[in-house]
Amino acid sequence: MKLYLKYFAIHLKSTMQYKASFFMTVTGSFLTSFTVFLGIFFMFQRFHSVAGFSYEEVLLCYGIMLMGFSVAQMFASGFKVFDSMIANGEFDRILCRPRNEIFQVLAFRIDFVRIGMLLQGIVMLWYALVKCPVDWTFPRALTVALMVIGSSVLFSALFLLDGSVAFFTLQGLEFMNVFTYGANEHGKYPLSIYGKGMLTFCTFVIPYALVQYYPLTYVLGRSDRAWYMLLPIIACLFVVPCWIVWRIGVHRYKSTGS
Amino acid sequence: MIEVKDLKKTFKVARREAGFGEAVKALFHREYELIHALDGISFSIGDGEMVGYIGPNGAGKSSTIKILSGILTPDSGLCTVGGRTPWKERRAHVKEIGVVFGQRSQLWWDVPVIDSFELLKEIYTIPAGTYKKNLSELTEILDLSKIVKTPARQLSLGQRMRCEIAASLLHDPKVLFLDEPTIGLDAVSKLAVRDFIKRRNKDHGTTVILTTHDMQDIEALASRIILIGKGRILLDGTLDDIRRGGEHIDETVAELYKKFDV
Amino acid sequence: MKKYIAFFRLRFAMGLQYRAAALGGLVCQFFWGAMAILAFKAFHDTDPSAFPMSLPAMSSYIWLQQALLHLLSVMSMDGELMDMIQSGNVAYELCRPVGVYNMWYIKNLASRASGALLRCIPALIVAALIPAPFGLMAPPDVITFLWFALSLVLAAVVVTAIGMIVAMITFHTVSPRGVRLIAVGIADFFSGGIVPLPFFPEAVRRVTELLPFSATANVPLRIYSGDLHGGEMLFLIALQVFWAVALIAVGRLLEWKELKNVVVQGG
């Protein structure tokens, strides 16, 4: 932890060397998520609900997903550039150091520019919390917190998986974007609107629905199954298979060196 | 210190021909060929030796270095560094070695060099006392006092290389791997780097393994040369063994390459 | 001209080598398209009367958008060119005996077209096989298709010109990544990349249609899906021609100013 803070300080120091550049990139990064919000806003000017969810409810949902996604983008972004770390030998350097490899990749890059997205997520969530006609009890508030944590962990796990794919091929990594960027963008709506099939996929294959749809129904009072609030914790177990793929990848890397 | 016995490593490489038609063909079918990067390599290096590991590009130099530094696992063969098998006990092993890649930096680009050093202190969990002692020694010998507060990006190549070397010695490694340490340096910096390595070897008994294309490096540093070509060791001896007359070192090596057809 | 064709061939051959990348992109776009269509369908089911186009037209719009992404997105700017600016190798490029703007423009267009060619055919075949209302429908008639094709070419010309201007701006800025993100964010939104323009509130749509961004993907996609026709279509195509000329002129002007004081970073 102390070591991570050291890395953190260095990243912050480096970033602040280029303040103007930093703020432009923050703006750009913010725009990409802000336009998605604008899209939702325009849609709700025309339609007043979608599949039974109101504007505020959708914002609650998107706010949570966006917060989780931006936290993962910020702190797990080393895996996003992992293919280039392999290509330029940075991963060899990591293997030459007496520390855990995953830790070093995480510490290699902290993408502070996602702060704009994170703020947008917070603002949307805050707006929705105030506007949604929800009777805020402690378990409900806790559920929202667990959803944010769960989605951060889930997206980080997906970035880990994304990075691990680079061990096996340096091409075709693009399709992994569906599960990260795509899930963030399409996760703006409660997953039930995409139909039964998609919901099943998002429950049992990649557990997005466990951090989004199910606990959301509990928060909004559509379901009185209080145990739904624990689902985000179960979703965190998704890290395990991703980690296994990573281990296999490291093993393979060590035997092929490429 | 280092024992290598019958090390073998084979890679599978996709064959690719140039041209438009070939690119279309490769879309559906791809051929592979096996490259024997290392084809049974054995040598042993004693404590405190300085060895030049040379050979043409693609001879297997970097595979060997990668195996010795624990990055690559060989197909077969034995290898121990200080009694440990690098790829089996990676973390314990890498604490004992230092690696300098001449063409890649381990310093953080945008922050003062000293910050990179401080970070390495944490990464290698160097005790505060040892760190202080090593840092002041390295700072003095490599003449870093004026540059450690400067961000790495503002340093000249020579200054940066001095910092790189210091960075890889902070944790007192017993073995130092140098990959092209003088590439691109001006004459003064080259001499400074060579002098330092020699001194380090004498004072600390650090074992040094050097790969380079610069034969002057070899001449200045290596008492022993291992020549590798096509995955095999072609020659293992002292500089004087291979040099018959008083000819230039480059000519000697060119002669050798020609003789072994590599 | 020969030089340009050589560039194009090289690009195409390079693109072909990355078959896995193309396949990955295809899968990605397919999922993306499916999710987008399902979301719009949910809105449609909630209130069909508020839906500004038919569902099959909507699906066609999304599939074409996905299939032509590589051609029509500002995002698919030539990575090579961006790297060159960042690494300072741009200095070598400036020494070549070809007009810089023309060469880069062609390179850019070539990388877009080759990427799109590789991807769009399989994507469109798959999309066409999906049953209505979720699949790609045939164009209403041949004339519409021809207008679509014309407008598509114009859109590619305009989007490349926008990409060039963005690349030129990055010459001056300390933050290529920032400029790029901002440009992509704006262009994507105003070209109907996130929500098609017919879903915009009326007043916003009218203004947006006059912007150069809507002269890209927006026009051909809406012509194909039958949303745009008659005088309005002709007006927007004319606007595309205007923006193509204007933006290329701006780009060349920037080039002319730029060459006088190229700032090579790093080097």
Side-chain angles (χ1 to χ4, degrees):
Chain A
M1 199 61 213
K2 190 180 164 206
L3 178 58
Y4 189 78
L5 289 178
K6 266 245 153 84
Y7 271 108
F8 191 89
I10 287 197
H11 281 296
L12 201 61
K13 217 168 170 180
S14 303
T15 307
M16 285 307 135
Q17 293 267 313
Y18 305 97
K19 284 203 192 65
S21 161
F22 175 69
F23 287 115
M24 275 194 81
T25 317
V26 169
T27 312
S29 164
F30 167 72
L31 259 180
T32 53
S33 59
F34 184 70
T35 51
V36 174
F37 160 75
L38 268 185
I40 297 175
F41 180 74
F42 285 178
M43 289 304 277
F44 278 92
Q45 293 287 301
R46 189 174 280 273
F47 306 87
H48 298 288
S49 71
V50 59
F53 291 94
S54 70
Y55 174 61
E56 290 79 17
E57 289 167 342
V58 166
L59 284 192
L60 180 68
C61 182
Y62 185 43
I64 290 169
M65 286 302 262
L66 190 62
M67 278 175 72
F69 185 62
S70 40
V71 167
Q73 286 243 67
M74 217 187 287
F75 295 104
S77 69
F79 294 109
K80 283 169 58 189
V81 294
F82 190 67
D83 51 340
S84 65
M85 288 175 76
I86 287 188
N88 65 23
E90 192 57 48
F91 190 60
D92 286 350
R93 171 73 64 195
I94 282 176
L95 288 173
C96 289
R97 284 182 172 158
R99 291 283 174 174
N100 177 278
E101 299 101 5
I102 291 186
F103 171 81
Q104 289 191 70
V105 178
L106 286 175
F108 178 76
R109 188 166 186 252
I110 300 175
D111 200 4
F112 290 108
V113 302
R114 304 299 170 182
I115 196 86
M117 270 189 179
L118 183 62
L119 283 177
Q120 185 195 333
I122 293 171
V123 170
M124 288 191 306
L125 182 63
W126 174 74
Y127 174 85
L129 290 179
V130 174
K131 290 277 181 170
C132 273
V134 170
D135 174 23
W136 287 107
T137 59
F138 175 71
R140 282 190 174 137
L142 181 65
T143 310
V144 170
L146 286 177
M147 286 166 81
V148 173
I149 295 168
S151 61
S152 309
V153 174
L154 180 58
F155 279 120
S156 302
L158 287 162
F159 281 127
L160 169 62
L161 187 64
D162 189 0
S164 310
V165 174
F167 283 123
F168 304 94
T169 170
L170 287 178
Q171 310 174 16
L173 298 170
E174 203 182 327
F175 89 99
M176 281 301 299
N177 290 351
V178 176
F179 302 120
T180 51
Y181 296 86
N184 168 56
E185 187 165 334
H186 297 297
K188 63 195 171 191
Y189 300 124
L191 290 167
S192 59
I193 78 159
Y194 298 103
K196 262 246 143 56
M198 201 51 89
L199 189 61
T200 311
F201 178 86
C202 295
T203 306
F204 298 106
V205 185
I206 300 178
Y208 302 110
L210 302 192
V211 301
Q212 200 233 33
Y213 175 68
Y214 299 111
L216 187 72
T217 57
Y218 171 68
V219 169
L220 297 178
R222 310 261 169 110
S223 159
D224 46 18
R225 292 180 190 157
W227 57 273
Y228 273 3
M229 68 184 281
L230 298 177
L231 289 178
I233 299 174
I234 294 175
C236 294
L237 293 177
F238 189 71
V239 171
V240 176
C242 300
W243 180 75
I244 292 172
V245 175
W246 167 266
R247 291 302 311 169
I248 297 171
V250 171
H251 188 81
R252 187 188 140 101
Y253 180 82
K254 285 187 181 173
S255 70
T256 61
S258 54
Chain B
M1 191 73 211
I2 301 176
E3 290 290 338
V4 172
K5 204 157 181 327
D6 204 24
L7 221 48
K8 285 190 179 157
K9 183 79 213 171
T10 309
F11 297 115
K12 206 168 105 180
V13 181
R15 195 186 312 203
R16 182 174 292 166
E17 259 115 296
F20 189 75
E22 289 298 327
V24 177
K25 228 190 274 170
L27 202 58
F28 305 101
H29 177 72
R30 207 161 269 191
E31 283 173 13
Y32 293 95
E33 61 184 322
L34 292 177
I35 305 269
H36 299 281
L38 296 179
D39 201 8
I41 292 230
S42 306
F43 57 80
S44 118
I45 293 172
D47 228 339
E49 263 196 274
M50 292 220 272
V51 177
Y53 196 59
I54 59 172
N57 288 326
K61 271 187 318 221
S62 68
S63 296
T64 315
I65 298 297
K66 277 185 173 177
I67 289 172
L68 288 176
S69 50
I71 298 170
L72 195 66
T73 313
D75 296 340
S76 66
L78 294 173
C79 166
T80 57
V81 178
R84 285 195 192 88
T85 303
W87 61 92
K88 283 187 184 142
E89 302 163 75
R90 186 182 74 77
R91 283 209 229 171
H93 167 69
V94 295
K95 279 201 164 190
E96 306 286 330
I97 63 165
V99 188
V100 176
F101 297 106
Q103 311 192 50
R104 275 185 235 145
S105 179
Q106 60 174 322
L107 303 170
W108 289 68
W109 200 237
D110 292 317
V111 294
V113 174
I114 190 74
D115 288 359
S116 295
F117 289 174
E118 293 276 333
L119 189 68
L120 286 166
K121 170 180 175 253
E122 298 296 327
I123 292 176
Y124 285 94
T125 42
I126 308 170
T130 318
Y131 173 74
K132 222 169 156 188
K133 188 178 115 266
N134 288 347
L135 182 63
S136 63
E137 186 191 336
L138 289 164
T139 308
E140 194 203 311
I141 305 178
L142 284 165
D143 192 19
L144 303 178
S145 54
K146 289 200 197 76
I147 52 178
V148 285
K149 299 241 162 67
T150 320
R153 77 182 131 90
Q154 290 170 12
L155 299 178
S156 73
L157 206 56
Q159 290 172 323
R160 208 161 74 218
M161 185 48 69
R162 271 150 53 202
C163 294
E164 295 282 350
I165 290 175
S168 48
L169 289 172
L170 283 170
H171 59 289
D172 266 338
K174 296 204 179 69
V175 184
L176 181 62
F177 295 101
L178 297 165
D179 185 18
E180 304 267 3
T182 58
I183 196 163
L185 299 190
D186 60 71
V188 179
S189 303
K190 268 187 190 175
L191 289 179
V193 166
R194 285 178 197 149
D195 272 349
F196 173 76
I197 296 169
K198 233 188 275 177
R199 189 159 165 193
R200 181 81 189 179
N201 171 263
K202 217 170 100 205
D203 297 352
H204 291 252
T206 309
T207 309
V208 177
I209 297 184
L210 174 77
T211 64
T212 181
H213 287 294
D214 186 331
M215 290 308 150
Q216 269 85 42
D217 281 353
I218 300 281
E219 199 167 29
L221 293 173
S223 45
R224 176 176 163 200
I225 287 180
I226 297 178
L227 171 69
I228 180 173
K230 294 182 184 159
R232 292 177 167 279
I233 288 185
L234 303 173
L235 196 139
D236 184 347
T238 65
L239 202 57
D240 296 327
D241 286 348
I242 58 170
R243 198 190 317 208
R244 280 149 301 168
E247 80 265 24
H248 198 261
I249 177 82
D250 279 324
E251 284 164 24
T252 314
V253 171
E255 194 74 11
L256 279 174
Y257 282 14
K258 217 187 276 169
K259 183 172 149 207
F260 290 108
D261 188 29
V262 288
Chain C
M1 200 59 207
K2 236 178 163 177
K3 278 177 294 211
Y4 297 140
I5 293 174
F7 275 134
F8 189 87
R9 276 178 61 113
L10 194 70
R11 264 321 173 114
F12 198 75
M14 266 165 71
L16 277 175
Q17 271 180 6
Y18 297 106
R19 55 180 175 168
L23 190 68
L26 211 67
V27 173
C28 188
Q29 287 169 10
F30 182 78
F31 267 99
W32 198 283
M35 294 298 278
I37 290 172
L38 286 170
F40 280 112
K41 181 180 174 288
F43 279 100
H44 183 267
D45 291 352
T46 305
D47 185 0
S49 63
F51 213 73
M53 55 213 284
S54 74
L55 205 52
M58 182 72 223
S59 301
S60 301
Y61 181 101
I62 300 278
W63 289 126
L64 274 177
Q65 180 188 48
Q66 291 304 317
L68 299 172
L69 192 69
H70 209 81
L71 182 68
L72 295 182
S73 165
V74 178
M75 208 176 338
S76 59
M77 263 186 265
D78 201 35
E80 203 187 346
L81 173 57
M82 290 309 232
D83 290 345
M84 245 184 316
I85 293 172
Q86 257 166 318
S87 67
N89 287 340
V90 79
Y92 299 112
E93 280 293 294
L94 292 175
C95 301
R96 293 206 197 174
V98 191
V100 178
Y101 185 89
N102 288 351
M103 188 179 73
W104 281 342
Y105 188 96
I106 296 287
K107 267 190 156 182
N108 222 321
L109 196 58
S111 88
R112 282 166 186 281
S114 63
L117 254 178
L118 276 176
R119 287 163 188 215
C120 82
I121 294 166
L124 291 178
I125 291 172
V126 173
L129 291 175
I130 300 169
F134 299 117
L136 173 75
M137 61 179 192
D141 50 64
V142 181
I143 304 294
T144 309
F145 184 78
L146 291 177
W147 282 120
F148 158 75
L150 171 70
S151 166
L152 183 64
V153 172
L154 286 168
V157 171
V158 173
V159 81
T160 310
I162 294 177
M164 289 296 298
I165 292 175
V166 175
M168 298 261 187
I169 294 173
T170 57
F171 267 155
H172 279 295
T173 158
V174 286
S175 173
R177 185 181 169 202
V179 171
R180 208 164 165 180
L181 279 169
I182 293 174
V184 169
I186 293 174
D188 202 27
F189 185 71
F190 288 115
S191 64
I194 292 175
V195 172
L197 262 55
F199 287 86
F200 282 32
E202 191 60 22
V204 182
R205 180 178 66 88
R206 290 202 177 283
V207 179
T208 305
E209 275 177 348
L210 301 177
L211 298 176
F213 308 111
S214 89
T216 62
N218 170 52
V219 187
L221 262 44
R222 280 169 64 201
I223 293 177
Y224 187 96
S225 54
D227 176 66
L228 206 57
H229 43 75
E232 206 185 346
M233 174 184 81
L234 292 177
F235 172 69
L236 288 184
I237 288 181
L239 208 58
Q240 278 189 302
V241 176
F242 166 76
W243 281 121
V245 175
L247 293 176
I248 289 177
V250 171
R252 301 209 62 153
L253 192 74
L254 283 175
E255 172 202 31
W256 177 74
K257 284 181 104 170
E258 209 62 50
L259 286 183
K260 283 200 278 188
N261 55 345
V262 115
V263 184
V264 180
Q265 297 188 351

